[in-house]
C-alpha cells in the first residue's frame, strides 16, 4: 500500500483540517511577519495574509480534499472565494473586536478567530463550492 492510497482513504473532514491548518499557519505567519518585520497594522496585514492563504487553501481543497468533485476549477473557484471572503469578513470583524474592544494581543486574537471561522468554511465548501453536481 502506497502513501498516496493511504492518504486517499483519509476522511474528507481530516483532509480539510490538514489543508485548512496549513493555510491557517500560512495566514498566521504572514500576519506576524508583516506586523513584526514591516510594522503593518494587524488588520491590514490580515488582508494580505488572507489573499496569500486563499491561494494555498483553494489549491489544497480542490486538489486534495475535494478531488473527487466533478466540478471544474472554474466552477468551484467563485463559490469557494465567496465562502472564503464571507469567512474573512467575519475574521476581520472578530479580530478588530478582540484587539480593540477586548484588548487581546493580536496574536492570540488571530489564532482564536482562525479556528472559529474555519468551521463555517468547511461546511460551505462541502455543501456549495465543491458539492457534486
Amino acid at each position: 500500500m502506497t502513501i498516496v492510497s493511504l492518504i486517499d482513504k483519509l476522511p474528507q473532514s481530516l483532509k480539510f483540517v490538514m489543508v485548512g491548518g496549513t493555510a491557517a499557519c500560512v495566514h498566521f505567519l504572514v500576519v506576524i511577519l508583516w506586523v513584526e518585520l514591516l510594522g503593518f497594522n494587524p488588520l491590514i496585514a490580515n488582508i494580505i495574509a488572507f489573499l496569500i492563504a486563499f491561494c494555498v487553501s483553494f489549491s489544497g481543497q480542490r486538489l486534495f480534499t475535494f478531488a473527487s468533485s466533478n466540478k471544474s476549477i472554474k466552477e468551484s473557484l467563485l463559490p469557494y472565494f465567496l465562502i472564503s471572503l464571507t469567512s474573512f469578513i467575519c475574521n476581520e470583524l472578530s479580530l478588530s473586536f478582540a484587539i480593540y474592544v477586548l484588548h487581546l494581543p493580536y496574536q492570540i486574537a488571530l489564532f482564536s478567530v482562525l479556528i472559529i471561522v474555519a468551521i463555517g468554511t468547511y461546511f460551505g465548501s462541502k455543501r456549495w463550492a465543491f458539492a457534486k453536481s
Side-chain angles (χ1 to χ4, degrees):
M1 189 171 271
T2 66
I3 191 135
V4 172
S5 62
L6 288 173
I7 290 172
D8 283 342
K9 293 180 187 210
L10 292 174
Q12 189 177 61
S13 57
L14 182 57
K15 290 178 184 180
F16 184 87
V17 169
M18 292 168 64
V19 172
T22 301
C25 286
V26 168
H27 189 131
F28 187 80
L29 291 173
V30 169
V31 170
I32 299 297
L33 290 172
W34 280 72
V35 170
E36 300 299 326
L37 295 180
L38 301 173
F40 275 69
N41 177 291
L43 296 176
I44 301 300
N46 196 38
I47 294 168
I48 297 162
F50 162 74
L51 295 171
I52 295 168
F54 173 80
C55 296
V56 172
S57 180
F58 179 76
S59 299
Q61 300 303 4
R62 176 64 183 93
L63 300 173
F64 179 61
T65 307
F66 299 105
S68 65
S69 173
N70 58 359
K71 285 190 173 181
S72 69
I73 290 174
K74 190 176 182 179
E75 290 175 306
S76 54
L77 182 60
L78 181 60
Y80 190 76
F81 181 75
L82 293 175
I83 291 164
S84 296
L85 183 61
T86 302
S87 295
F88 174 70
I89 291 168
C90 294
N91 167 318
E92 189 79 346
L93 292 172
S94 300
L95 184 61
S96 180
F97 180 80
I99 291 171
Y100 296 112
V101 175
L102 300 178
H103 304 288
L104 292 175
Y106 79 91
Q107 301 93 329
I108 293 170
L110 179 63
F111 182 80
S112 303
V113 166
L114 287 173
I115 290 172
I116 293 167
V117 170
I119 295 166
T121 304
Y122 171 71
F123 288 108
S125 299
K126 182 177 175 78
R127 302 233 180 333
W128 185 32
F130 300 107
K132 293 183 180 178
S133 301

